[in-house]
Every structure is written in C-alpha cells, then in structure tokens.
C-alpha cells in the first residue's frame, strides 16, 4: 500500500534521528531555505558557505536543474513515471508537483534513507487524484529492494525516469557504478536517467574547501570529473541527450528560476550570512560559481 513507510513507530523514528551530527539532507535544506534542520546542520552549512561564499548557487542551481529536467521529461518526452532516489526534504516544488502540473496522471516514487526525510514524507504524498506518489525508506545501496517496492506504484513495462540528483557523491566508485547499472537494467526502453554530480573540474579550490568542511563532519564526499560522470551513462548503455554532461546552469536554461520574496531591508540587515541565503536571487550566476554537472540519458 502506498505510504507504508510512514507507518513506522514514532518512537523508533525518533531513535533513528541523530540531531547531534550534520546530515546531508538537512544541510541541503538549509541552502534551499527550509526549516527542517538542527543546529549541527546550520553549523555545517555555515562552514561550507564560509569556505565558498557563493556555494549556495551550487545547491540552488542543482535544484533548478531538477525542475527543468522533470519539466522537459513530462512536457516534451511524454514521461509519466519517476523514481527519485535521494529525494531530500520536501521543498516548494517536488518532482510530483512539477510533473503533475503538466501531466496530472504522473506517478512518482520517492526514496531516501534519512529518517528526518521519512518524518516529513507526508508532504510528498500529496498526489493529485489522477496520479500517485509513494515514499520508500531505503538505501540506494539496496537497489533490488528499491525496485521491488517501487513496482507497487510504477509499471516497469512503461518508461520510467530514474532521478539520481546530487546523491552519487555520497557513494564510492566500487558501489556507485554497479548500482546505477542495476537500476537502469531494470527499466524498459524509452526510460531516462537524470543525474547530477559535484565535481572539482570547474573551480577546484572552492569545491575542495567545501569538501574538507564536510569530510571533517563524517560525510563521504566523492568528487567526479566530467569523464567519470559520463561513465555512469555509458556503462549503463544510455545515450546522452543534448547538451550532454554540462555544468547544471548550462543544461537547457530557461532563466525561470524563482526569485524568493524579499523581506524588509532592516530585517535582512539583521540576518547572518547563512540566514540571508534563502532570500538570494540566483540569476546572477557565473561559470566561476558552479561545481555541479548534470545530464540526461535515454535508454534505447
Ligand atoms: C544533496 S541531497 C539532494 C536532494 C535532491 N535529490 C536534490 O537534488 O534536490 C542528497 C539526498 O540524498 C540522500 N542520500 C544520501 N545517501 C543516500 C543513500 N545511500 N540512500 C538513500 N538516500 C541517500 C540524503 O539523505 C539527501 O536527502
């Protein structure tokens, strides 16, 4: 039954949440202007921002890449099923809201292994009546489990867009490439892979400084080159769609990134740097800012 993951015992869920340490989903939430994080996550985000003061652009442009990719898939490619692994905390525009605005019958299965994402997953189960959403509490490192549970909602005889957006840098090579291959192998012809990934190709000094702040906090943080990212597509037998693997702000830009509503000047002046991030307009991005590659692959 969709929503099974949400029936978890609240006491057990609380036991799984370690608020004393920063966690990727919650640090990411800080940069997206969310509210679902703890002081340790704020501390990690602030350290990351001190290491790279325009680093919020990586996060926000990564999310905007996801918006454009899902829009393209739903509007131009006729894709009606999405498997979004490494969903992150619910935000203003989740995959089902983007897809169902174009095609209300779209089905989306979300997967994450963070108990805080699970605790907030109800906000992801808000499908319109013609479509469906489900949430799976699982680890990317268990692809067979994910595929089995996703099949309750998705029809694996029809194309599926697998979204692995800003998640593979948490997985070492020995596991990452075989996992992507196993997931793609389970999808029928016409399926897609949407993938984004941090890199040190573009602005090595900035991104290494950020990497240090996160590895000090116990995160696995694998940076991959453009060749490494292209390998995910090639080894899984996928053709890259135009424009290939590029910095995310160059992937089919539509210059429609939402600009956050601005508070009073006096209120803004009283905020610290990390609190100000939520109000930043990201349309002033330059090539010197972005450290994330994105691409879309098609299964023949
Ligand atoms: C940086 S966030 C990206 C969120 C969203 N995909 C986006 O790009 O906007 C990475 C997400 O991947 C999740 N994650 C990391 N490792 C994971 C794993 N092994 N299995 C499942 N989820 C994982 C984290 O909990 C987090 O929510």
């Amino acid at each position: 039954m969709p929503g099974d993951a949400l029936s978890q015992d609240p006491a057990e869920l609380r036991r799984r949440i370690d608020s004393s340490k920063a966690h990727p989903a919650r640090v990411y939430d800080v940069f997206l202007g969310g509210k679902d994080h703890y002081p340790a996550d704020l501390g990690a985000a602030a350290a990351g921002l001190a290491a790279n003061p325009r680093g919020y652009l990586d996060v926000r442009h990564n999310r905007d890449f996801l918006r454009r990719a899902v829009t393209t898939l739903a509007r131009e490619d006729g894709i009606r099923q999405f498997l979004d692994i490494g969903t992150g905390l619910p935000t203003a525009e989740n995959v089902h809201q983007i897809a169902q605005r174009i095609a209300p019958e779209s089905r989306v299965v979300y997967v994450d292994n963070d108990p805080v994402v699970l605790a907030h997953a109800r906000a992801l189960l808000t499908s319109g009546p013609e479509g469906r959403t489900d949430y799976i509490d699982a680890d990317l490192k268990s692809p067979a489990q994910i595929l089995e549970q996703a099949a309750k909602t998705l029809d694996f005889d029809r194309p599926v867009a697998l979204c692995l957006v800003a998640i593979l840098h948490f997985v070492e090579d020995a596991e990452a490439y075989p996992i992507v291959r196993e997931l793609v192998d389970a999808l029928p012809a016409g399926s897609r892979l949407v993938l984004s990934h941090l890199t040190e190709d573009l602005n090595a000094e900035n991104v290494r400084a950020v990497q240090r702040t996160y590895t000090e906090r116990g995160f696995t943080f694998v940076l991959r080159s453009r060749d490494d990212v292209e390998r995910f597509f090639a080894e899984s037998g996928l053709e890259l769609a135009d424009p290939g693997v590029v910095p995310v702000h160059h992937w089919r830009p539509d210059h429609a990134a939402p600009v956050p509503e601005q508070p009073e000047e006096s209120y803004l002046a009283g905020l610290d740097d990390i609190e100000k991030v939520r109000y930043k307009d990201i349309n002033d991005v330059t090539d010197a800012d972005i450290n994330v590659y994105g691409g879309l692959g098609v299964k023949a």
Side-chain angles (χ1 to χ4, degrees):
M1 202 191 126
D4 271 0
L6 270 62
S7 56
Q8 199 167 88
D9 171 26
E12 170 57 23
L13 189 54
R14 273 195 302 277
R15 263 194 299 280
R16 277 180 58 194
I17 296 174
D18 181 357
S19 58
S20 69
K21 292 197 196 98
H23 201 285
R26 292 155 8 199
V27 175
Y28 191 79
D29 179 65
V30 174
F31 283 109
L32 289 185
K35 310 177 291 315
D36 303 315
H37 45 258
Y38 297 99
D41 306 307
L42 266 174
L49 193 68
N52 179 17
R54 283 171 67 79
Y56 63 91
L57 289 163
D58 278 328
V59 176
R60 299 261 305 278
H61 274 280
N62 173 68
R63 191 75 201 177
D64 203 53
F65 160 74
L66 176 63
R67 173 186 66 77
R68 297 193 308 278
V70 171
T71 301
T72 301
L73 290 169
R75 185 174 290 148
E76 293 168 27
D77 299 353
I79 297 290
R80 299 291 178 260
Q81 306 193 96
F82 297 82
L83 176 56
D84 179 20
I85 308 182
T87 301
L89 281 151
T91 176
E93 288 281 89
N94 305 293
V95 170
H96 73 282
Q97 279 125 349
I98 301 167
Q100 290 185 351
R101 195 174 306 125
I102 298 162
E105 71 275 28
S106 299
R107 293 182 172 207
V108 181
V109 172
Y110 295 106
V111 183
D112 207 288
N113 69 346
D114 185 326
V116 178
V117 179
L118 172 59
H120 291 275
R122 217 164 282 285
L124 298 167
L125 300 182
T126 53
S127 171
E130 295 159 66
R132 243 165 105 182
T133 57
D134 195 11
Y135 181 82
I136 304 174
D137 174 33
D139 198 303
L140 172 64
K141 295 178 182 175
S142 306
Q145 182 201 343
I146 292 174
L147 290 166
E148 189 191 324
Q149 293 188 34
K152 295 178 190 166
T153 304
L154 304 179
D155 173 359
F156 280 95
D157 291 328
R158 291 194 300 127
V160 174
L162 169 65
C163 305
L164 296 173
V165 178
I167 180 173
L168 286 164
H169 50 255
F170 300 116
V171 186
E172 303 283 357
D173 280 0
E175 289 183 285
Y177 290 95
I179 287 170
V180 175
R181 213 168 27 238
E182 183 172 343
L183 289 167
V184 173
D185 278 352
L187 307 180
S191 292
R192 308 291 202 267
L193 170 64
V194 180
L195 190 152
S196 74
H197 204 294
L198 264 175
T199 185
E200 58 184 334
D201 281 2
L202 304 169
N203 311 292
E205 203 178 315
N206 287 2
V207 82
R208 281 196 201 128
V210 171
Q211 182 189 36
R212 270 195 301 279
T213 68
Y214 294 135
T215 50
E216 277 164 12
R217 288 169 168 80
F219 294 12
T220 299
F221 224 71
V222 186
L223 301 171
R224 292 193 171 95
S225 67
R226 189 196 296 250
D227 282 354
D228 297 334
V229 175
E230 287 175 348
R231 229 182 100 197
F232 282 113
F233 295 94
E235 283 198 3
S236 305
L238 301 170
E239 279 289 318
L240 272 166
D242 282 345
V245 169
V246 293
V248 281
H249 63 307
H250 288 312
W251 196 90
R252 305 192 196 183
D254 63 5
H255 308 288
V259 179
E261 218 172 289
Q262 296 304 302
E264 295 280 324
E265 265 305 317
S266 55
Y267 174 80
L268 203 55
L271 300 180
D272 64 25
D273 288 347
I274 196 72
E275 290 166 331
K276 282 182 184 152
V277 160
R278 69 173 62 227
Y279 300 109
K280 301 267 193 201
D281 177 0
I282 63 169
N283 292 300
D284 63 346
V285 66
T286 71
D287 288 349
D289 295 315
I290 296 298
N291 298 291
V292 185
Y293 281 133
L296 171 67
V298 182
K299 186 163 176 175

